[in-house]
Amino acid sequence: MKFFTKEVQIACVAIVALVVLYFGLNFLKGLNLFSNSNAYYLQFEDASGLSVSSPVYANGYKVGVVEEVKYDYMQPKKIVARVALDKQMRIPIGSQAEISSDLLGNLKINLVLTDNPLQFIAAGDTILGHAEKGMMGKVAEMVPAIEAMMPKLDSILTSLNTLLADPALANTLHNVEGMTANLNQTSADLRLLSASLGRNVPSMMVKADSVLGNTQQLTTNLAAIDVAAMTAKVNQTLANVEEMTRKLNSNEGTLGLLMRDATLYNNLSNTAADADSLLKDLKKHPKRYVHFSVFGKKDK
């Protein structure tokens, strides 16, 4: 009787198929049964849907996988996940685990490593973790601030509606339109002025050269003046004026006597008074001073 009957062969094929299926499923889950790994325990208050085979990353590099997630019904805020990490992975004391998700909702664990190259967590120890606040979590944190801003936004919108309904705003817009037209006209005038200046630049340059030439000639003439001689003449003139002023202030000469002698002034004043009295008497009694006859002079 043969041992490898059809029934035995079928049983062997079934066992091999089950073994292959088992290892295949674990491979698809990311579990490597023949790998050298260390087990660590991660403790969370909120697992955020973490499941077996979720990857574990350190600095963006995959270093392990989640093997088991346990929920403690006696302590609801104590969820423990057992992870298998590469034996070469060394976790510094103080490091934490963070659950995060991508845009497609796939969960992963990031190990936030501290800078402690001397002390490391031993295999089998527990690492504290937390769930990353995603976009919705950040939005939830912003909700109280948004609610506080709503009354102010409502007031701003009311003021804006009042402003838009004000006819002065429409008039202002019309004025702005007119100002824009004026600015356009001014810009056109400036362009014309620039073009005119561009055409007149050569003649202006010629005039400027002529002015510069005249200035240079004037500078040459000024340089040719004998400043020392002119200064000497000016000093001599000032000395003469000073001497004349001195004489006028003294009793020397006719002008000095006229300016400083009061007797001459008094005599002139008396003479003017006598002349005035004589003229008045001449007007009143002209016959005393003038004698004339049509027929000749009579003998006295």
Side-chain angles (χ1 to χ4, degrees), residues 80-205:
V80 179
R82 188 181 77 243
V83 298
L85 303 181
D86 193 330
K87 273 192 174 183
Q88 297 180 357
M89 182 65 193
R90 306 176 70 186
I91 304 175
I93 292 178
S95 300
Q96 293 185 353
E98 183 180 69
I99 300 176
S100 63
S101 61
D102 56 18
L103 295 176
L104 299 178
N106 299 319
L107 295 178
K108 64 179 180 179
I109 296 178
N110 291 322
L111 294 177
V112 183
L113 305 178
T114 60
D115 188 11
N116 187 0
L118 299 179
Q119 296 178 332
F120 300 94
I121 299 174
D125 287 347
T126 301
I127 302 173
L128 297 178
H130 60 275
E132 180 187 25
K133 294 181 180 179
M135 184 179 296
M136 296 304 297
K138 295 179 180 178
V139 171
E141 290 182 352
M142 294 173 60
V143 168
I146 294 175
E147 290 179 350
M149 291 173 59
M150 290 302 296
K152 296 181 180 179
L153 290 175
D154 185 54
S155 176
I156 291 173
L157 290 176
T158 303
S159 301
L160 184 60
N161 291 331
T162 304
L163 178 62
L164 292 176
D166 192 350
L169 181 61
N171 296 330
T172 302
L173 294 176
H174 288 303
N175 293 334
V176 170
E177 184 178 0
M179 292 171 62
T180 304
N182 293 333
L183 288 175
N184 292 333
Q185 182 63 36
T186 303
S187 299
D189 295 339
L190 287 175
R191 286 195 294 270
L192 293 175
L193 179 60
S194 299
S196 176
L197 289 175
R199 290 191 300 268
N200 295 330
V201 164
S203 60
M204 293 172 63
M205 292 299 294

Side-chain angles (χ1 to χ4, degrees), residues 2-297:
K2 294 182 179 181
F3 178 74
F4 290 102
T5 61
K6 289 184 178 180
E7 291 78 3
V8 174
Q9 292 177 1
I10 293 173
C12 291
V13 170
I15 292 172
V16 171
L18 289 174
V19 172
V20 171
L21 179 62
Y22 174 75
F23 284 104
L25 290 175
N26 283 288
F27 177 77
L28 292 176
K29 290 180 180 179
L31 301 175
N32 192 350
L33 299 178
F34 300 102
S35 66
N36 250 346
S37 60
N38 291 327
Y40 292 87
Y41 296 91
L42 309 180
Q43 182 178 331
F44 301 96
E45 291 185 358
D46 183 2
S48 300
L50 185 68
S51 61
V52 177
S53 74
S54 296
V56 180
Y57 290 88
N59 298 327
Y61 181 78
K62 184 179 179 181
V63 295
V65 68
V66 177
E67 291 184 333
E68 185 183 9
V69 180
K70 290 184 178 180
Y71 181 78
D72 191 346
Y73 291 93
M74 300 302 295
Q75 299 180 5
K77 290 187 177 182
K78 186 177 180 182
I79 303 172
V80 179
R82 188 181 77 243
V83 298
L85 303 181
D86 193 330
K87 273 192 174 183
Q88 297 180 357
M89 182 65 193
R90 306 176 70 186
I91 304 175
I93 292 178
S95 300
Q96 293 185 353
E98 183 180 69
I99 300 176
S100 63
S101 61
D102 56 18
L103 295 176
L104 299 178
N106 299 319
L107 295 178
K108 64 179 180 179
I109 296 178
N110 291 322
L111 294 177
V112 183
L113 305 178
T114 60
D115 188 11
N116 187 0
L118 299 179
Q119 296 178 332
F120 300 94
I121 299 174
D125 287 347
T126 301
I127 302 173
L128 297 178
H130 60 275
E132 180 187 25
K133 294 181 180 179
M135 184 179 296
M136 296 304 297
K138 295 179 180 178
V139 171
E141 290 182 352
M142 294 173 60
V143 168
I146 294 175
E147 290 179 350
M149 291 173 59
M150 290 302 296
K152 296 181 180 179
L153 290 175
D154 185 54
S155 176
I156 291 173
L157 290 176
T158 303
S159 301
L160 184 60
N161 291 331
T162 304
L163 178 62
L164 292 176
D166 192 350
L169 181 61
N171 296 330
T172 302
L173 294 176
H174 288 303
N175 293 334
V176 170
E177 184 178 0
M179 292 171 62
T180 304
N182 293 333
L183 288 175
N184 292 333
Q185 182 63 36
T186 303
S187 299
D189 295 339
L190 287 175
R191 286 195 294 270
L192 293 175
L193 179 60
S194 299
S196 176
L197 289 175
R199 290 191 300 268
N200 295 330
V201 164
S203 60
M204 293 172 63
M205 292 299 294
V206 173
K207 293 180 179 179
D209 291 338
S210 176
V211 172
L212 290 175
N214 294 334
T215 303
Q216 185 176 4
Q217 182 64 35
L218 178 61
T219 304
T220 303
N221 295 335
L222 290 175
I225 295 174
D226 190 355
V227 178
M230 182 179 293
T231 304
K233 292 180 180 180
V234 170
N235 291 334
Q236 182 63 36
T237 302
L238 292 175
N240 294 334
V241 171
E242 184 179 359
E243 179 66 20
M244 181 182 295
T245 304
R246 187 186 64 79
K247 290 183 178 180
L248 288 175
N249 291 330
S250 64
N251 294 328
E252 299 179 4
T254 304
L255 291 177
L257 292 174
L258 288 175
M259 292 179 63
R260 299 182 65 83
D261 191 357
T263 303
L264 178 61
Y265 171 78
N266 294 329
N267 293 334
L268 289 175
S269 296
N270 295 330
T271 303
D274 294 341
D276 182 65
S277 177
L278 178 61
L279 288 174
K280 289 180 179 180
D281 186 65
L282 179 62
K283 288 180 180 179
K284 289 181 179 181
H285 307 284
K287 293 181 179 181
R288 293 180 181 178
Y289 305 96
V290 179
H291 299 276
F292 61 94
S293 176
V294 177
F295 300 102
K297 184 179 178 180

